[in-house]
Amino acid sequence: MRKALVAGNWKMHGRIEQNRVLVDALLTQLSGLPEADIDVVICPPQVYLAQIKTLLQGSAVALGSQDVSRFAADGAHTGDSSAAMLNDLGVRYVLIGHSERRHEQSETDEQVAAKIASALLSGLTPIVCVGESLEQRESGQVTDMISAQLKGALSSLQRAEAEKLVIAYEPVWAIGTGKTATSEQAQEVHAFIREYLSSAFDEDLSQSIRLLYGGSVNSTNAALLFEQVDIDGGLIGGASLKSDEFTAICRAAALSTING
Ligand code: PEP
């Protein structure tokens, strides 16, 4: 059975005092959730990773980064933070290939693959993001797009590396728009991702990897999404900045582990 995972992507939000208040509230509200049923991750902006690491000390909530350098070795890469540096700071998960980075920073599939390799080398768990645009969905290219992104991200990985990944399906048209994919639409693509993993690797790997849905998840729609057989949790943007909302989403995910 796959354990639920919920990751909060704060994007470019936060200030020192605001972060303290939010994490304090979150830790209080999340304290009733059994660790056996859910992994919770918070991905703040990189400048606040050290602060959040301190605030999370003693709790089961893990630290995640929103990005990682594609270069593994230290060197002349101004502005970058390597996977080894993130690991040094206590980071355990890293978002790779988020659609905002693919679009705003023109991140390519090759760069996504290099970041995955670099993260794995330093023992970080990549949360690899894939998803189609509205135009691609409307022109019937969803599975072509998802296959192409998965191929770009995974084709150079050995099985033992691939089994360490988490994959997040995030339709671009649903991110930050308030338009959530229906549970049927989301389930259909998650099932397709499992089929892809099964043919690229094998059925055991396909059934063991955690697949998250992301795109305007909130406390109202989370339960129905997480009830779907191939959805193991969520990557949460806007709602991760509100402790009540985020906690309710985590609770829905934990319940989906309990209910199988
Ligand atoms: C995200 O940032 O990955 C995301 C899904 O954002 P939102 O939940 O705000 O749509």
Side-chain angles (χ1 to χ4, degrees):
M1 191 173 61
R2 299 178 297 267
K3 184 178 176 185
L5 189 158
V6 173
N9 173 16
W10 288 8
K11 312 196 189 202
M12 200 170 77
H13 292 283
R15 291 292 186 274
I16 287 174
E17 182 53 17
Q18 223 174 290
N19 301 342
R20 192 192 58 71
V21 171
L22 176 56
V23 174
D24 278 358
L26 266 177
L27 293 183
T28 307
Q29 294 178 14
L30 287 171
S31 65
L33 282 186
E35 285 168 36
D37 299 330
I38 185 165
D39 289 323
V40 180
V41 182
I42 291 179
C43 306
Q46 284 196 348
V47 290
Y48 294 126
L49 282 169
Q51 181 206 7
I52 307 302
K53 171 69 189 163
T54 307
L55 293 171
L56 293 178
Q57 231 142 39
S59 86
V61 177
L63 191 60
S65 171
Q66 295 176 18
D67 189 32
V68 62
S69 174
R70 66 184 191 274
F71 302 106
D74 290 8
H77 306 297
T78 303
D80 271 17
S81 298
S82 72
M85 291 170 181
L86 295 172
N87 186 19
D88 197 23
L89 203 61
V91 169
R92 295 293 164 253
Y93 292 81
V94 57
L95 305 183
I96 297 181
H98 190 281
S99 72
E100 284 152 20
R101 295 206 62 83
R102 290 183 193 260
H103 291 107
E104 294 173 1
Q105 315 297 331
S106 307
E107 204 165 277
T108 63
D109 285 336
E110 290 70 30
Q111 290 169 353
V112 167
K115 288 179 179 198
I116 293 171
S118 168
L120 289 170
L121 204 62
S122 285
L124 304 183
T125 299
I127 301 179
V128 182
C129 305
V130 296
E132 82 287 355
S133 65
L134 186 58
E135 198 184 0
Q136 287 159 343
R137 174 160 284 272
E138 285 175 345
S139 57
Q141 294 176 66
V142 177
T143 52
D144 287 351
M145 186 61 198
I146 303 297
S147 303
Q149 287 178 335
L150 289 173
K151 186 165 182 243
L154 311 182
S155 56
S156 55
L157 295 181
Q158 301 295 315
R159 185 194 193 281
E161 296 171 315
E163 72 184 6
K164 296 184 176 135
L165 304 180
V166 173
I167 296 174
Y169 167 56
E170 298 206 302
V172 177
W173 49 271
I175 300 180
T177 58
K179 283 188 209 155
T180 321
T182 63
S183 52
E184 291 81 13
Q185 286 171 323
Q187 166 55 28
E188 193 178 7
V189 179
H190 282 68
F192 174 77
I193 295 174
R194 283 208 201 281
E195 271 169 39
Y196 181 98
L197 292 171
S198 179
S199 60
F201 298 96
D202 55 61
E203 184 62 12
D204 278 358
L205 180 139
S206 147
Q207 288 302 323
S208 67
I209 282 194
R210 290 188 284 187
L211 304 184
L212 312 183
Y213 169 77
S216 298
V217 178
N218 57 39
S219 59
T220 309
N221 58 32
L224 191 55
L225 287 160
F226 300 161
E227 268 168 25
Q228 306 306 306
V229 65
D230 288 308
I231 303 182
D232 305 313
L235 178 51
I236 316 300
S240 71
L241 297 168
K242 298 174 199 145
S243 60
D244 296 4
E245 277 287 297
F246 191 66
T247 304
I249 291 167
C250 291
R251 194 166 292 128
L255 268 178
S256 76
T257 301
I258 296 165
N259 296 333

